[in-house]
Amino acid sequence: MTAKSASDNKQGLIDVLVRTEIRAIASYHVPDSSGLLKLDAMENPNPWPGPLQAEWQQALSLVEANRYPDPGGRAVKAGLRALMNLDELSAESNQDIDILLGNGSDEIIQILAMALANPDRGIMAPEPGFVMYGMIAKFVGMPYVGVDLDENFDLDIDNFVAQVKVHNPALIFLAVPNNPTGNVFSLEAIERVVEASDGLVVIDEAYIAFTDSDLLSLCAHYENVVVMRTLSKVGLAGLRLGFLMGRKAWLDEFDKVRLPYNINVLTQASAEFALKNYDVLVAQTEALRDERSNLFNRLMQIETVEPFESEANFILVRCLDKPARQVFEVMKTEGVLIKCLDGAHPLLTSCLRLTVGNRDDNERMIEALTVALNGDGATAE
Ligand SMILES: Cc1ncc(COP(=O)(O)O)c(C=O)c1O
């Protein structure tokens, strides 16, 4: 057999063995940000302040990397329980509210989908929304139904409830605030979805640090609600630690699907440290909330973009006079990486998503945006 025919055979095998829906999709694209000001992924731009940096490294030096991690992440869970006041919530509601840890909330979405995977009852979420809900539905072979938001990026609640009745999804994800639109759905609308659903509703509060909305108590109040959060957006994206809170009976089932050592020793030690020093992260996220207002005001002064109010650490803007892709590319040549959403969904036509950074970052971003909006569009490619 020639080398060529051997490689043709391999491709044949890939076509036969890899599921059609997997071959049809592209892997999740993360752009190279080397040398760029990174304002594309809703990270907190601040590291630990000086003295804490040294203390954190000291804590990590005690970690035994030759040993498997605690499979239950007990110390991390205890820290989170205290921070989220889960004992009080359990006592008040007379429910046993528990925690499940994931390698980022991405892994929790995957755990939920694996546990509930069903070819007849799929996943439903508002669109535009977080892309992982639809991708993970594909990974586990569940149908995915995206239900369009209205032109104000709000839940079109009558239509959403009607779609719930038609499709009877096993899982509904509601991100509050929503990514990439940054708005918060009303409690009334969320409760209508929960009450209309015979499936599990996951309230995804990835951006909780940047809003006054807090829907945690819904997981105690409703039998079919769980609440998901993450340390990624408060300043610890590199740790990959997400967590799900809800009634123990649900979480015990999901825990069966979780791989035993999903939270590594370095993440567990860092998260324990972070939870003891959480006030530092709160101060950083509070400052970013102020910067969000500043950035919004700066954007309002630019006539050729329309910014949308946000309760998250990013702002969606629509370019009114230049193609968003062109603005994105010119900003990149100016050294600033943001996210271009044009083409991702009809409601996002001409839209860019700007992560809120510190004051200097935001000023650099505004400068690059101004160059891109005022220039003739020629990029240095
Ligand atoms: C709404 C939403 N949920 C979940 C995630 C995933 O977060 P994590 O870093 O915990 O996997 C993101 C990340 O952007 C998000 O926007």
Side-chain angles (χ1 to χ4, degrees):
M1 196 185 285
T2 64
K4 175 153 188 341
S5 65
S7 76
D8 285 351
N9 273 352
K10 282 266 163 48
Q11 185 55 46
L13 203 54
I14 288 172
D15 291 348
V16 169
L17 291 180
V18 178
R19 284 154 45 207
T20 318
E21 61 273 29
I22 300 300
R23 274 184 291 128
I25 56 176
S27 45
Y28 186 81
H29 174 65
V30 179
D32 182 8
S33 58
S34 321
L36 299 173
L37 173 60
K38 194 170 183 317
L39 293 168
D40 66 327
M42 288 80 89
E43 293 141 327
N44 171 347
N46 305 295
W48 288 115
L52 280 183
Q53 187 83 24
E55 256 185 67
W56 171 51
Q57 282 166 5
Q58 170 67 21
L60 289 183
S61 73
L62 303 175
V63 166
E64 292 184 275
N66 56 317
R67 300 286 178 201
Y68 282 109
D70 174 1
R74 284 167 299 178
V76 176
K77 279 190 190 169
L80 286 169
R81 269 199 91 78
L83 187 68
M84 306 289 150
N85 296 318
L86 291 192
D87 289 342
E88 282 90 326
L89 182 60
S90 298
E92 274 162 27
S93 61
N94 214 11
Q95 295 292 338
D96 200 352
I97 302 300
D98 206 357
I99 303 191
L100 178 89
L101 302 181
N103 189 321
S105 34
D106 285 346
E107 192 195 32
I108 296 198
I109 302 168
Q110 191 184 45
I111 288 173
L112 291 164
M114 284 194 295
L116 272 56
N118 185 323
D120 301 320
R121 295 190 59 186
I123 294 183
M124 183 177 281
E127 289 211 344
F130 183 45
V131 292
M132 270 299 155
Y133 308 142
M135 285 189 79
I136 287 175
K138 281 217 176 75
F139 301 164
V140 302
M142 281 172 108
Y144 172 76
V145 181
V147 181
D148 284 351
L149 295 172
D150 67 18
E151 65 281 6
N152 298 317
F153 301 138
D154 247 325
L155 281 177
D156 177 354
I157 189 62
D158 290 336
N159 182 42
F160 201 96
V161 165
Q163 297 301 319
V164 168
K165 294 294 176 205
V166 171
H167 298 280
N168 195 20
L171 264 173
I172 297 175
F173 286 93
L174 296 176
V176 190
N178 188 42
N179 172 17
T181 55
N183 56 317
V184 166
F185 306 132
S186 75
L187 177 61
E188 190 194 349
I190 291 166
E191 289 192 311
R192 271 194 67 192
V193 173
V194 170
E195 282 161 17
S197 167
D198 286 329
L200 181 66
V201 179
V202 185
I203 314 273
D204 180 349
E205 292 191 320
Y207 300 97
I208 181 84
F210 306 97
T211 176
D212 295 333
S213 159
D214 181 340
L215 299 170
L216 179 58
S217 63
L218 294 191
C219 73
H221 188 70
Y222 288 104
E223 198 184 344
N224 61 335
V225 172
V226 288
V227 174
M228 187 168 75
R229 293 185 183 174
T230 176
L231 294 188
S232 294
K233 314 299 174 185
V234 289
L236 301 165
L239 294 191
R240 309 303 298 129
L241 191 78
F243 49 104
L244 186 73
M245 293 169 286
R247 297 180 182 205
K248 188 170 183 315
W250 277 114
L251 270 53
D252 284 348
E253 296 305 318
F254 302 142
D255 200 44
K256 297 176 190 171
V257 182
R258 182 183 62 83
L259 294 175
Y261 303 114
N262 63 331
I263 313 298
N264 71 70
V265 280
L266 294 172
T267 295
Q268 291 198 27
S270 301
E272 266 184 72
F273 175 82
L275 293 168
K276 285 185 192 133
N277 295 286
Y278 205 72
D279 50 339
V280 174
L281 300 178
V282 171
Q284 291 178 346
T285 51
E286 288 290 327
L288 288 169
R289 278 175 78 153
D290 290 343
E291 288 311 326
R292 175 180 67 202
S293 309
N294 278 322
L295 178 61
F296 188 83
N297 292 337
R298 298 281 276 123
L299 291 164
M300 285 293 281
Q301 287 158 10
I302 304 176
E303 272 174 18
T304 50
V305 294
E306 179 190 10
F308 297 95
E309 293 272 4
S310 167
E311 296 199 32
N313 61 341
F314 56 83
I315 296 178
L316 188 73
V317 296
R318 175 162 287 132
C319 300
L320 301 177
D321 152 85
K322 285 251 157 69
R325 173 67 50 189
Q326 179 187 315
V327 173
F328 166 82
E329 292 296 347
V330 175
M331 287 182 74
K332 211 158 112 182
T333 62
E334 291 293 312
V336 178
L337 183 66
I338 53 154
K339 178 92 176 171
C340 180
L341 292 166
D342 183 61
H345 186 278
L347 286 169
L348 297 175
T349 300
S350 306
C351 283
L352 301 169
R353 190 188 61 201
L354 314 177
T355 297
V356 178
N358 290 328
R359 180 68 58 93
D360 291 352
D361 301 340
N362 296 339
E363 283 305 318
R364 261 188 74 192
M365 175 162 60
I366 290 283
E367 269 169 37
L369 178 65
T370 309
V371 170
L373 292 169
N374 293 340
D376 61 6
T379 60
E381 272 170 63

